[in-house]
Amino acid sequence: MKPKLLALSAVGVLALALAACGEDAEDGGASGGDGPTVAIVQPADGDALSAPFAFEVDSSEDLGPTDTGAHHVHLYVDGDDSVYEVIEAGNGEEVEISADSPILEGLEDGEHTLNVSLRHADHSAAGAEDEITVMFGEAGPGNADDPGDVGDGY
Amino acid sequence: MTPATSAMATEPGRTVERNSARARWFHAAVYLTVLVLMGTGWWLTLGQEGRPSPLAAVTGLPDAEIHTAVGWALTAIAVAGPALGLRGAKALLVDSARFRRSDLHWAAGWPKAVFTGRFARHEGRFDPGQRIANLVMVALLLALIVSGIGLWAVSGGPAFVWFNRIHRWATYAITPVILGHILIAAGVLPGYRGVWRAMHLGGRLRRGDAARVWPGWLERTTRGR
């Protein structure tokens, strides 16, 4: 292959890289329309929580481990999506968010936003998000009103 | 570095240039990106996803995003490097793929020579172990780059599962090779003392070190000087 052709290939790869950077912005819009959806089922908006607590999402997509190629959900707090819990189950199946979850590390008591973002298997945004406001604190009852709280066994 | 060793490191008569500046910059760009990719990749593989690695904590970006972005950087380097240095890339592959019967003698004495420095003679630009490592690293890095682009392109689904398997197994295979390469190239082992200079700073190493590790190459390089 001629050097010029290889150089053109390099430019093409860089263009693809730029396209990759733009992908999230295009995909990351609000839920709705005909696109995929995700919604927090529990806890409910306004709940008081303490770790561990039960968490459940509902999505239009099948959820599963990334190595199966299925979608999954990133759960994070106060809009900081650099620290998150990977949720690989939902649609009727709840998971436990334990006290050692990265999203709870250093979290101060008080009102916080729980965010979820539906993700492709490669972790890129699939274009569906949801959020609720909850109250974290030692005195919080968890989602004790939920008899299925997976934290009961601890 | 003392003035005496500094003078020795740069004195042309006692040292020999092993790699050009272009080759050294290419090598540095590859290993810096590969080290970041190995670090973030293993962080995610070991179940730390969502918990920022030290690099993610510093940059404020999730490890998965760092891994993807740096993967594109490695792809660009892997394409641009050979494009700008076609002759060097061809020489690397040709010299790495050329084996002789006498290399078996070198291989038989290698485990001991790593500690004593008394390697059997070989004629290659690279020693036989280095040649195997070169070919394995090039093949596995290509597999990682292609499967990484595949993971990005399909995002999920059945094809993702296969790209993920290739990416994962190529990672398992290349990790010990790279760690071994670093151990040898760092010059920690007595037999390879001083070879780190071949790819760093001025790319010049002591003639004695070159004669011990690459005797045939040294003779061809310095013939008539």
Side-chain angles (χ1 to χ4, degrees), chain A residues 6 20 69 84 100 105 121-123, chain B residues 49-51 83 152 155 157 160 164:
Chain A
L6 282 170
Y84 55 90
D100 64 354
E105 273 181 17
D122 72 344
H123 304 288
Chain B
E49 191 186 347
R51 198 179 296 275
W152 165 81
S155 289
F160 183 94
N164 190 49

Side-chain angles (χ1 to χ4, degrees), chain A residues 16-29 120 122-127, chain B residues 68 72 151-156:
Chain A
L16 278 173
L18 291 173
C21 294
E23 188 188 43
D24 278 1
E26 289 168 16
D27 265 5
H120 296 118
D122 72 344
H123 304 288
S124 61
Chain B
T68 304
W72 280 112
L151 289 169
W152 165 81
V154 301
S155 289

Side-chain angles (χ1 to χ4, degrees), chain A residues 13 61 71 94 146:
Chain A
V13 168
E61 308 301 311
H71 285 69
E94 64 182 34
D146 170 22

Side-chain angles (χ1 to χ4, degrees), chain B residues 181-208:
Chain B
H181 176 68
I182 292 171
L183 178 68
I184 286 173
V188 176
L189 299 169
Y192 288 100
R193 199 153 282 162
V195 297
W196 67 270
R197 295 173 188 272
M199 268 300 178
H200 297 91
L201 305 178
R204 302 187 72 89
L205 74 161
R206 297 183 185 94
R207 280 172 181 264

Side-chain angles (χ1 to χ4, degrees), chain A residues 12-62:
Chain A
V13 168
L14 287 172
L16 278 173
L18 291 173
C21 294
E23 188 188 43
D24 278 1
E26 289 168 16
D27 265 5
S31 315
D34 295 332
T37 62
V38 67
I40 300 172
V41 176
Q42 68 165 316
D45 194 41
D47 271 1
L49 301 177
S50 62
F53 63 91
F55 184 81
E56 185 183 343
V57 288
D58 189 51
S59 174
S60 59
E61 308 301 311
D62 289 335

Side-chain angles (χ1 to χ4, degrees), chain B residues 78-130:
Chain B
V79 174
L84 298 172
L86 191 58
R87 192 184 299 173
K90 194 176 166 189
L92 170 71
L93 290 178
V94 170
D95 291 342
S96 296
R98 188 179 293 154
F99 288 89
R100 301 168 182 84
R101 188 175 290 272
S102 60
D103 292 335
L104 291 173
H105 184 55
W106 178 94
W110 180 74
K112 197 174 173 185
V114 161
F115 298 101
T116 64
R118 288 193 285 274
F119 295 101
R121 184 181 171 87
H122 68 89
E123 299 302 327
R125 169 174 171 77
F126 307 107
D127 72 42
Q130 203 178 2

